[in-house]
Amino acid sequence: MNRSLLLIALGPVQEFIEQARRTRDVWFGSWVLSHLSKKVAQTLPREGLIFPTGESLPSPELERIDPTRERISYSNQILVIVPDARAAITQAYGAFKQEIKLFVNKLDDLLQKDPDRIYKNYPDVDQREQIDLQLFDLFEFQYAHVDLPDDQHYAQQRKKLYQLYTARKNTRSFGSIRWDQSLPRPEREAKLPPAVRRSTKRSNKSSLDGWHTMVTSGDKSGENLSAVDLLKRKLNPHNIDPSYPEGLNGFPSTSHMAALAFAQSMQDSDSTKITQKWAEYIDTLEELDPRFTEFEQLPLRFRNQQLFFGTYDGSLIYESRLGDDIPIPNKESTSEQKSKYDSNLIDARKALRHFLGAKTPIPYYAIIAADGDKMGDLIDSITDVQTHRNLSKAVTDFAQAAAQILEEKYQAAVIYAGGDDVLALLPLHTVLRATKEISDLFVEYMQTLAEQQGVSTPTLSVGVAIVHHLEALQDSIQLARKAEKLAKKPRNALAIILSKRNGSDKTIVGQWNTTFYHHLNDLVKLHCQQTIPDGFIFEFDELLKRFDFGLINEPAELQQTLKIIEHEWQRILKRKQTQHAGKASFLAAEMINLLQSIIGYCASHASNSAKPDQYLRDFIAMNLVARELAMVQALFEKAQSQGVTQ
């Protein structure tokens, strides 16, 4: 039987998705790649599809009937059995090019409506051509195929196929850049009549990736957008695919994700009062200048959280974000315009302070990046096509279930959930429970198949970055990726990097099958109740700095030093508790035993066993992370103390 096993891979992936300034840049970049993969897969024989399976890939007709399937993110790799590899590749590549042409047409239509487009004074440059060349240069279509005369040789031929694909990736050729790399140029401006001559920019490169040439200016002053940036920033899925539900368009800001915990706690304390105060605040902003709220609309998909925000993005509760999208007056503005801008901003800040009262929103949120462990072992154990399809279906079902759970139960905003990968933004009050649930869920979906194949069950490692809502999004996502890599070193683990603006990053790592997760939750409770008072952990850190463990060579001396430190941290804790309580108090034996148990865990799982004091530093890092999460949890404790149940 003349047939082939074909692998098609689209790209780029992480570097394209993560070059972003706004959350919608990341979300739409991810959606574009998933959409391209789906369109390519739909040209291939449905009965031959292995990854994704034909069952999980909706037909165009089904998409119109069941739009909820758009939760699925499709992998950039497609594995399929085809009767004629060359014909399948030609058809798939045709669909790939057709979609990119659609992107070009949509962007060109958009820019033709822009009276200030930068190319209008350059008759020797074709703006549409620039968009065309940049986008076709960006997206990659690679493939490899091998003969598959019968299913008995499936495992052997699949291994050969991936070896060929790896060789193809490592030996691909790089052509010269064809799109114009320097617009606007000073020499071009000099040739124009003075009346239309524009001052040249210090940089005409993309503000997002730093190397593509701009094709237009961004909404913010000084922001340069290339065709690649414009694709992420200005288009919506519904523009490209009319069957895509408009209600799923858009993505909340990082500020909104940070604001969710604060908003939920206020909603829990007095729902009617806070809703009324919010309406008054919004009315004040819109009376001052409708632009305060015009650009801060929350996408319909994220308005089901039963919070007082309603249709508005949570960024409106941060003073630093007020008027963020209102153009700042420049040298061409009149004094009246400048005065009006300043007075509106002052009045808006006053209205916000009145709304918040004495409360201060917490400015941190979480990004999670998750990936399956030992998936290669499970795939290598598979020798037949149907079992591989079963695995493909299992990971697809997991991704769809995980996305639904994260968004509907934990107030997450999922950027990508496909196969064994998840990338999402979460508020701090749900992040621990969310990571644990999707980790358990992954094992549940993988267990049956792994047992059938006689291999260990794949697990899920999760990296979490706790970051400030104003930090550069690209850097924050990279921090989450770094945490994910740290989690995958021991595997089956949770790694958290706490990145505070006023200090160095703190990192903790622990496996799901140890007591790490439970200890972390215990510490959160202790800090929330202030049983571990503020200041204790910082004094403990200062205490360790007094000892130079590099000068301690004798085991007996080391043990004596560690014993001194143990007595000293208990003394510090007792003193801090006394200060906090305002009267003499004694440490409960139960709490001492708990802290010693956690220190014992850190000692047996030290991140660097070569350093004798590393386990104590790991204990301090665990406390700092727990303290940050406890600050959020304390908001809900306060609501409960007022007699309101969450």
Side-chain angles (χ1 to χ4, degrees):
M1 186 177 183
N2 186 22
R3 62 178 189 166
S4 299
L5 185 62
L6 169 65
L7 175 67
I8 296 175
L10 309 182
V13 184
Q14 284 191 16
E15 61 268 31
F16 167 63
I17 293 173
E18 294 171 12
Q19 286 165 352
R21 281 191 166 187
R22 299 184 179 183
T23 53
R24 74 105 55 216
D25 300 339
V26 180
W27 160 72
F28 192 66
S30 174
W31 183 88
V32 163
L33 284 177
S34 176
H35 174 76
L36 282 173
S37 292
K38 181 181 71 174
K39 289 299 182 183
V40 167
Q42 285 176 336
T43 68
L44 300 168
R46 186 172 295 271
E47 67 280 3
L49 283 167
I50 300 171
F51 189 76
T53 63
E55 180 184 347
S56 64
L57 181 73
S59 65
E61 295 75 22
L62 182 58
E63 284 182 297
R64 298 185 187 96
I65 299 171
D66 184 12
T68 59
R69 297 182 70 88
E70 286 294 345
R71 278 191 184 275
I72 300 174
S73 297
Y74 294 94
S75 170
N76 69 309
Q77 292 190 4
I78 302 164
L79 186 64
V80 61
I81 298 172
V82 294
D84 185 339
R86 287 294 173 188
I89 292 165
T90 300
Q91 194 167 1
Y93 186 59
F96 174 76
K97 289 202 301 183
Q98 183 178 347
E99 288 304 309
I100 298 175
K101 284 181 180 178
L102 177 61
F103 301 160
V104 173
N105 291 338
K106 293 293 183 182
L107 291 181
D108 185 53
D109 291 345
L110 189 69
L111 290 183
Q112 290 303 322
K113 299 173 184 177
D114 178 12
D116 297 321
R117 63 187 188 279
I118 66 168
Y119 282 73
K120 66 180 180 179
N121 292 325
Y122 302 126
D124 57 328
V125 178
D126 186 333
Q127 184 180 32
R128 180 189 174 87
E129 183 183 43
Q130 292 301 305
I131 299 171
D132 188 295
L133 292 174
Q134 284 194 27
L135 293 188
F136 272 99
D137 177 70
L138 169 72
F139 293 109
E140 302 165 356
F141 182 99
Q142 296 180 331
Y143 62 86
H145 60 90
V146 295
D147 291 336
L148 186 66
D150 55 64
D151 289 351
Q152 291 181 349
H153 296 89
Y154 175 70
Q156 176 186 342
Q157 291 301 91
R158 185 187 67 225
K159 183 178 179 180
K160 181 180 177 181
L161 174 68
Y162 278 92
Q163 290 173 341
L164 285 173
Y165 171 63
T166 301
R168 174 69 185 90
K169 282 200 304 182
N170 294 337
T171 58
R172 61 179 176 170
S173 58
F174 294 89
S176 59
I177 293 174
R178 296 168 58 205
W179 38 267
D180 198 305
Q181 300 179 56
S182 53
L183 286 175
R185 291 178 179 171
E187 57 268 28
R188 280 185 174 155
E189 294 293 338
K191 295 176 183 178
L192 295 172
V196 296
R197 191 176 299 166
R198 293 164 55 107
S199 60
T200 54
K201 289 175 172 285
R202 182 179 63 181
S203 171
N204 51 41
K205 298 302 181 184
S206 160
S207 297
L208 272 67
D209 65 32
W211 72 282
H212 278 103
T213 302
M214 66 182 292
V215 298
T216 190
S217 299
D219 294 331
K220 288 192 175 181
S221 176
E223 187 176 49
N224 302 341
L225 299 182
S226 68
V228 179
D229 309 331
L230 202 62
L231 174 67
K232 295 179 178 180
R233 184 64 58 82
K234 295 297 184 182
L235 295 188
N236 279 315
H238 189 73
N239 301 138
I240 296 167
D241 184 356
S243 68
Y244 188 91
E246 286 192 80
L248 298 182
N249 283 335
F251 212 74
S253 68
T254 56
S255 301
H256 179 79
M257 301 311 298
L260 282 173
F262 177 79
Q264 187 68 65
S265 66
M266 292 184 74
Q267 190 83 29
D268 289 346
S269 63
D270 193 336
S271 175
T272 303
K273 183 178 179 181
I274 193 63
T275 301
Q276 181 181 348
K277 287 187 68 177
W278 178 256
E280 292 170 357
Y281 169 56
I282 293 297
D283 288 343
T284 301
L285 291 182
E286 293 182 342
E287 286 174 9
L288 290 170
D289 188 334
R291 291 177 296 179
F292 276 115
T293 60
E294 179 183 349
F295 300 106
E296 304 300 339
Q297 296 291 311
L298 192 63
L300 184 62
R301 170 183 167 193
F302 299 98
R303 295 180 190 176
N304 60 349
Q305 294 157 335
Q306 303 301 314
L307 296 176
F308 62 82
F309 285 145
T311 63
Y312 299 97
D313 190 275
S315 59
L316 289 172
I317 70 169
Y318 294 101
E319 193 170 304
S320 58
R321 290 293 312 276
L322 275 181
D324 212 23
D325 292 309
I326 299 177
I328 299 173
N330 52 36
K331 59 183 179 181
E332 298 176 0
S333 303
T334 65
S335 58
E336 183 181 349
Q337 288 172 327
K338 293 177 181 178
S339 177
K340 183 67 173 173
Y341 174 86
D342 291 339
S343 64
N344 282 348
L345 197 55
I346 290 171
D347 289 343
R349 287 171 177 168
K350 286 181 180 177
L352 175 58
R353 291 175 195 138
H354 176 71
F355 168 72
L356 293 175
K359 302 179 180 69
T360 302
I362 290 172
Y364 289 87
Y365 72 103
I367 302 178
I368 69 167
D371 186 46
D373 308 310
K374 295 186 178 180
M375 288 295 289
D377 293 346
L378 178 54
I379 292 172
D380 289 344
S381 73
I382 294 174
T383 58
D384 65 283
V385 175
Q386 187 54 50
T387 303
H388 200 162
R389 285 198 178 105
N390 293 342
L391 173 60
S392 177
K393 183 180 184 304
V395 294
T396 299
D397 290 348
F398 158 74
Q400 191 170 10
Q404 185 173 356
I405 287 170
L406 286 171
E407 291 198 349
E408 295 181 3
K409 187 174 180 180
Y410 296 111
Q411 298 179 319
V414 177
I415 296 169
Y416 177 87
D420 60 340
D421 294 321
V422 177
L423 181 64
L425 314 183
L426 283 99
L428 291 189
H429 69 294
T430 66
V431 66
L432 283 186
R433 288 179 289 121
T435 55
K436 183 68 168 69
E437 181 159 348
I438 64 169
S439 175
D440 292 343
L441 186 70
F442 185 76
V443 172
E444 181 183 325
Y445 273 92
M446 295 296 108
Q447 190 165 13
T448 301
L449 189 58
E451 289 175 352
Q452 290 174 357
Q453 294 301 115
V455 297
S456 59
T457 302
T459 54
L460 192 73
S461 287
V462 185
V464 178
I466 298 176
V467 290
H468 195 279
H469 71 110
L470 294 182
E471 282 299 312
L473 181 59
Q474 187 170 342
D475 295 342
S476 299
I477 293 176
Q478 288 174 356
L479 201 64
R481 293 291 187 196
K482 179 182 177 181
E484 179 188 42
K485 289 179 182 178
L486 290 172
K488 288 187 73 65
K489 284 184 179 179
R491 294 175 180 162
N492 188 28
L494 170 67
I496 301 176
I497 299 178
L498 171 62
S499 183
K500 298 280 285 186
R501 281 193 147 188
N502 58 351
S504 59
D505 294 351
K506 301 298 179 184
T507 302
I508 59 174
V509 183
Q511 291 182 289
W512 294 113
N513 58 355
T514 67
T515 54
F516 170 79
Y517 178 78
H518 300 291
H519 284 327
L520 183 57
N521 274 290
D522 287 338
L523 287 174
V524 171
K525 292 175 184 176
L526 291 175
H527 280 278
C528 182
Q529 298 164 358
Q530 294 195 334
T531 306
I532 299 179
D534 265 355
F536 160 70
I537 205 65
F538 298 104
E539 284 202 32
F540 193 175
D541 190 33
E542 289 298 320
L543 170 66
L544 285 184
K545 291 176 183 178
R546 300 176 198 167
F547 296 88
D548 189 344
F549 284 85
L551 300 178
I552 302 175
N553 299 315
E554 295 297 326
E557 183 182 0
L558 175 61
Q559 290 303 315
Q560 184 180 17
T561 302
L562 294 176
K563 195 69 176 176
I564 291 171
I565 291 172
E566 179 182 350
H567 285 295
E568 186 64 11
W569 72 253
Q570 291 186 29
R571 185 190 67 79
I572 294 171
L573 182 58
K574 180 179 178 180
R575 173 167 55 81
K576 286 291 181 182
Q577 279 195 326
T578 302
Q579 291 172 352
H580 176 71
K583 57 183 180 180
S585 62
F586 299 93
L587 297 180
E590 183 181 353
M591 195 191 79
I592 287 291
N593 290 338
L594 176 58
L595 292 181
Q596 287 178 329
S597 174
I598 296 173
I599 290 176
Y601 164 83
C602 292
S604 59
H605 296 82
S607 58
N608 187 347
S609 56
K611 294 183 177 181
D613 63 330
Q614 186 61 52
Y615 75 97
L616 294 173
R617 300 194 180 280
D618 292 343
F619 174 72
I620 289 171
M622 278 187 74
N623 274 272
L624 290 173
V625 171
R627 178 176 177 270
E628 193 66 31
L629 296 172
M631 290 172 66
V632 178
Q633 190 59 38
L635 298 174
F636 295 94
E637 295 288 336
K638 187 174 182 180
Q640 288 180 331
S641 69
Q642 295 172 350
V644 181
T645 304
Q646 285 192 56

